[in-house]
Amino acid sequence: MADGLRLGIDTGGTFTDAVLCREDGAVFRTAKSLTTKHDLSIGIGKAIAAIMEPDGDDAVSADTIRLVSISTTLATNAVVESHGQPVCLIMIGETEAALDRGGLRQALGNDPAVFIAGGHQSNGDEATPLDIAAVETALDAHAGKVSAFAVSAHFGSRNPAHEQRVRDLVLERTGRPVTCGHELSANLDMPRRALTAVLNARLIPLIADLIEAVTGLLKQRGIAAPLMVVKGDGSLISAETARLRPVETVLSGPAASVVGARHLSGKDDLIVVDMGGTTTDIALLRGGKPQLDMDGANVSGWRTMVEAIAVHTVGLGGDSEIRLDDEKQLVAGPRRAVPLSLLAHEYDDVLPVLKKQANRAYAKTYDGRFAIRQRKLVEGAAKLSASEQRIWDNLADGPVALEVLLADRAPEQPLRRLVDRGLVAISAFSPSDAAHVLGLHHAWNAEAARLGGRIWARKEIRSGKMIAADEREFAQTVFDLVIKQAGEALVLAVLDAEGMAVPDRLGAVTRRLLSAAFSGKDDPTQRSELQVDLRFRTPVAGIGAPAATYYPAFGQRTGTQIELPPHADVSNAVGAVAGGVMQTVRVLISAPNEFVYRVHLPDGLKDFPSFESAAAEAQEQASAMARQQALDAGAGTVHVDCARDDRFVKQMGGRDLFVESTVTAVATGRPSLG
């Protein structure tokens, strides 16, 4: 029997992994279960049961568990796939033109935005009084239609008084969760603070479900150890902190995978590629430390204000939906689909439908596609429309073929809205199905995968030209497609890390050259006189369940050294218990005039007659806040380091003029063990 164990749990889009590590970091036992999005506790419970009470092995006593920590890709996947509950954004002191900056309008989608008079000046003084009546009117109009509110004010990071007043009104008047921009970042750039607040508000129900599921299961088993969650920078926070600031768990999964890859491989320099069911996350490890993105986590094009590892995230995974783009080219992702092989493995009535569709003489639009409930409706969430409710009710007993669900020319838009909210998932052919057809994967229903491949093979990409001769040729095409897209993502990630501005869309010539580099030497589709050789100097560590399927072939085609560390398929869960607590607080000192030095604090502004006295106050306050945040985040003993960055400009005559100063306090510590 092992003593002093740490339980790491990683809840991904497809699998939930569990690992038990000893106090010295050695892996004691691992387990894996399917993620059950409609009720997370089912998948998590199976993974915990498998690791605590394995068949033919000694059971683990609850009192030996000293720490439980979770990493998750749920928040990242929700951002990539544009899923989440509807929110209302309240912008103070801004006009609608602010939505056109920082991608805010696209991120909001159809969610409402309200513009309220108010806001502050850059020095923290009030610019315009807050229009309380307008706030109350907006809350009454939108409270019944959204699940949460996000609040961001003009120069709210310099003086959060108006954001705090609106937050209090939201709680008093609606009881809905609310996120303020200043709570997430002290940096300027109001649209990006607003974007981060919107994402945080959307993610609150998602992360709350995860934490409640784990908490309930631990209680059932009598495990009283502290519960932690991995942040996007690889450090840990308490479960209660994660409930309030779930956006900080964006990139939690890839951050944990980098920490886990370093721990498992023992190598200090790696390109870590974490391929899951929905996304592929690429990060660089240099000198044993992950590179951090100080400009804020960039997830699927959204530049947030969450400090996280510098990671390149693309919508490519083992369960990516295979589709034709507008140019009739085969593409994997960015959205996830439930693999047909998995759906048929779980539901017996799926296979007969696929057989009927594959064997009939003519093809239909929705062949090989199903819909299934993904999550339960959240109490108090925005109500469904009548057409959405009809679809929801029709899915009550399990998956339904789209040709049935959308019969009689029923509109697709209500189904799309349910998918966008993360309530319903589409099942379709995926790389996991291709792996089943090729005999590379055997966990689910291979016959369903073959039928899905057959349905795809007979699709026309142009008149009289079928996509493939049969299901096996189509599956090989998908396999090669994943390797090519994975290779492109690796190239873009490395160039981005080296400071090169890379466009979101590659040009036709560049894409052709990369395609030639990542294709097999005998690939008949590469009929060109050009031979392109491209390899990576630093070893590539393949992490995640699908990595072992695709990256060895990638290494063979490019001559790149591929590392598949032991327990690579549960690296995220290992990383969840290998990290520590770190909290950073920044306090600004400004100078409203030549004789006043102003310290900007969350509870108000403090003015001082000298810079020395202002700096001393800022350092004392920053250190105290960082220490308390680290303790609240679950640290045991805490160490605080402080640094100051002063900005001066030279005046005529050589005299230094003070502009501003930032005091940064970083509190670190190991998690408090039960």
Side-chain angles (χ1 to χ4, degrees), residues 327-372:
E327 298 174 357
K328 293 289 186 178
Q329 296 295 312
L330 208 61
V331 178
R335 287 204 167 187
R336 174 184 182 270
V338 178
L340 294 173
S341 52
L342 173 57
L343 194 72
H345 176 74
E346 302 248 301
Y347 297 92
D348 293 337
D349 54 351
V350 170
L351 199 60
V353 175
L354 286 172
K355 287 180 178 178
K356 178 182 176 182
Q357 293 177 346
N359 293 330
R360 62 189 171 201
Y362 54 92
K364 288 189 175 182
T365 303
Y366 298 118
D367 283 354
R369 294 171 64 81
F370 298 77
I372 184 173

Side-chain angles (χ1 to χ4, degrees), residues 366-388:
Y366 298 118
D367 283 354
R369 294 171 64 81
F370 298 77
I372 184 173
R373 285 186 182 182
Q374 184 166 238
R375 292 191 178 88
K376 57 189 176 184
L377 288 174
V378 179
E379 185 176 350
K383 295 180 179 179
L384 302 181
S385 68
S387 53
E388 291 168 349

Side-chain angles (χ1 to χ4, degrees), residues 459-518:
K459 290 185 183 224
E460 289 189 358
I461 51 176
R462 56 182 178 270
S463 181
K465 173 66 175 176
M466 302 302 177
I467 285 182
D470 55 27
E471 60 267 27
R472 188 169 183 84
E473 181 179 303
F474 177 71
Q476 186 63 50
T477 300
V478 170
F479 181 85
D480 293 337
L481 174 68
V482 172
I483 291 177
K484 292 175 186 177
Q485 288 186 212
E488 289 177 6
L490 263 172
V491 170
L492 293 178
V494 170
L495 292 178
D496 185 51
E498 293 177 350
M500 180 177 288
V502 181
D504 291 335
R505 294 180 63 85
L506 296 173
V509 173
T510 303
R511 188 174 293 279
R512 174 70 184 209
L513 291 173
L514 290 178
S515 178
F518 302 135

Side-chain angles (χ1 to χ4, degrees), residues 605-655:
L605 309 175
K606 287 188 177 181
D607 292 341
F608 295 86
S610 70
F611 175 69
E612 290 74 16
S613 57
E617 176 70 10
Q619 181 166 328
E620 180 180 345
Q621 293 284 349
S623 297
M625 287 188 288
R627 181 179 299 277
Q628 189 57 52
Q629 287 184 16
L631 292 171
D632 292 343
T637 57
V638 175
H639 174 75
V640 181
D641 289 313
C642 249
R644 200 178 75 208
D645 180 19
D646 303 331
R647 291 182 57 197
F648 292 86
V649 294
K650 287 285 187 184
Q651 290 184 305
M652 291 183 63
R655 180 168 173 259

